[in-house]
Amino acid sequence: MPELPEVEVSRLGISPHLINQCIKSIIVRQKQLRWPIPDEIQQAVGLEVIDVRRRAKYLMIDTEAGSIILHLGMSGKLRVIESSNAPQKHDHVDIVLENGQCLRYNDPRRFGACLWHPHTAIEKQEPHPLMVNLGPEPLTDAFDSQRLYDLSRGKTKAVKNFIMDNHVVVGVGNIYASEALFFSGIDPRKAAAKVSKKRYQSLTDEIKKVLAHAITQGGTTLKDFAQTDGKPGYFAQELQVYGRAGKPCNRCQSPIESVVIGQRNSFYCPKCQL
DNA sequence: AGCTCAACCTGCTGGC
DNA sequence: TGCCAGCAGGTTGAGC
């Protein structure tokens, strides 16, 4: 379900309920996610939540002793509810607060993760191993067209795969990759090395625009994404190409086409994207 | 080094 | 109505 906008919407939704609250208990009903949930996560019990941060599609719930790292995978959802609410199917983890509320993590496909990153004295500033090799955040100045251009030289893979590579830039998933390529008029199948500097400038701008705008709309709800208050994301109705195979392009009326690139279904307008 | 592909898991949809 | 194949927002790691 989540790309970067959906994760950021989740962060914005949960953080005011968590920050400065004390963790009373952590209930793990299903520890077998992408990786097993480590028992060390219990080190957060009794501590106050200092901050809720996001890096790429990871959420970090910071305490004095370390951070709980959450990843929503394909189907993960977070909600803040009364901890007395009966758990439903696939409600794998509760982070229960002393005020009676809890952060409940639900993930049918269990592609997500819930990990613990201790702040030991020696490695207090060390990032988690999962985050060591991540590229820049797309909504910061560290992500610019020069970087895309430089890294793309010699790359034969499709430009869509290239911008979805977390070493290049994080947070661009299958939906927004297709959308940004549409707005910049680039054929998603084109080899990354064959895209000009000028077009990487456009692509960089469009990636930033589409992600930032999707965040303001509460993300994209396709099947089951919900904001943490249960409302759907409203960006789905603004999608130009994703999921619109056979429907007319909003710019030129040509039928949108779909093609599999790097195992992922991809959508583009054959007239607007060259 | 760079690229492709299988794998992780459940649920939903569409065709027969 | 039922069954089964195919597909889904992500990421890692094996293998070429």
Side-chain angles (χ1 to χ4, degrees):
Chain A
M1 86 44 183
E3 295 194 27
L4 184 141
E6 291 72 37
V7 178
E8 181 65 10
V9 165
S10 296
R11 187 187 72 80
L12 292 168
I14 67 173
S15 58
H17 299 283
L18 298 187
I19 292 174
N20 296 330
Q21 297 295 326
C22 189
I23 297 173
K24 183 181 181 185
S25 63
I26 298 177
I27 301 168
V28 177
R29 300 187 188 83
Q30 164 63 273
K31 71 187 298 181
Q32 207 57 48
L33 302 182
R34 180 184 187 88
W35 298 285
I37 298 174
D39 294 337
E40 289 74 25
I41 198 170
Q42 298 295 338
Q43 291 173 20
V45 172
L47 302 178
E48 199 170 278
V49 175
I50 298 167
D51 201 1
V52 181
R53 293 176 298 139
R54 179 188 59 74
R55 173 75 174 104
K57 295 171 188 165
Y58 296 97
L59 288 175
M60 286 157 287
I61 298 173
D62 294 336
T63 71
E64 196 176 51
S67 302
I68 297 167
I69 296 176
L70 293 173
H71 194 290
L72 302 179
M74 293 275 253
S75 56
K77 286 181 287 292
L78 291 172
R79 297 196 69 180
V80 176
I81 56 170
E82 296 301 318
S83 62
S84 55
N85 282 194
Q88 307 294 306
K89 198 173 185 184
H90 307 306
D91 281 344
H92 304 314
V93 181
D94 280 1
I95 297 174
V96 183
L97 305 174
E98 288 198 336
N99 67 6
Q101 293 198 299
C102 79
L103 177 70
R104 187 162 284 176
Y105 172 76
N106 176 290
D107 185 5
R109 290 179 73 180
R110 288 191 270 132
F111 281 10
C114 179
L115 301 170
W116 174 246
H117 186 221
H119 294 171
T120 64
I122 295 171
E123 54 178 3
K124 191 152 191 163
Q125 302 302 322
E126 292 282 312
H128 189 277
L130 282 171
M131 296 177 211
V132 168
N133 292 314
L134 292 178
E137 288 290 323
L139 297 176
T140 64
D141 290 342
F143 172 57
D144 61 16
S145 61
Q146 189 68 46
R147 176 180 177 82
L148 279 191
Y149 182 77
D150 290 346
L151 289 178
S152 66
R153 297 307 91 184
K155 296 282 200 298
T156 59
K157 65 156 104 170
V159 61
K160 174 164 179 276
N161 285 346
F162 176 66
I163 60 171
M164 289 177 68
D165 181 344
N166 282 336
H167 301 99
V168 175
V169 57
V170 301
V172 182
N174 204 33
I175 298 176
Y176 300 109
S178 280
E179 294 297 301
L181 286 161
F182 170 78
F183 285 118
S184 49
I186 301 169
D187 186 325
R189 299 165 297 181
K190 198 176 180 77
K194 294 197 168 179
V195 175
S196 69
K197 178 77 192 297
K198 188 175 176 185
R199 303 188 91 194
Y200 272 124
Q201 180 62 58
S202 168
L203 183 55
T204 305
D205 294 343
E206 297 301 340
I207 287 171
K208 288 174 187 279
K209 273 202 282 193
V210 74
L211 292 178
H213 183 56
I215 291 169
T216 70
Q217 298 303 300
T220 298
T221 294
L222 291 184
K223 291 191 171 90
D224 54 7
F225 175 71
Q227 301 185 56
T228 53
D229 58 5
K231 289 182 191 160
Y234 296 104
F235 194 73
Q237 57 208 62
E238 299 189 32
L239 295 175
Q240 302 294 308
V241 289
Y242 186 87
R244 296 191 66 242
K247 294 183 177 157
C249 170
N250 289 331
R251 282 193 178 160
C252 77
Q253 312 305 315
S254 299
I256 299 299
E257 293 188 3
S258 68
V259 61
V260 174
I261 304 172
Q263 306 180 92
R264 312 298 297 276
N265 208 355
S266 309
F267 301 87
Y268 67 102
C269 172
K271 280 206 175 168
C272 295
Q273 296 177 253
L274 302 171

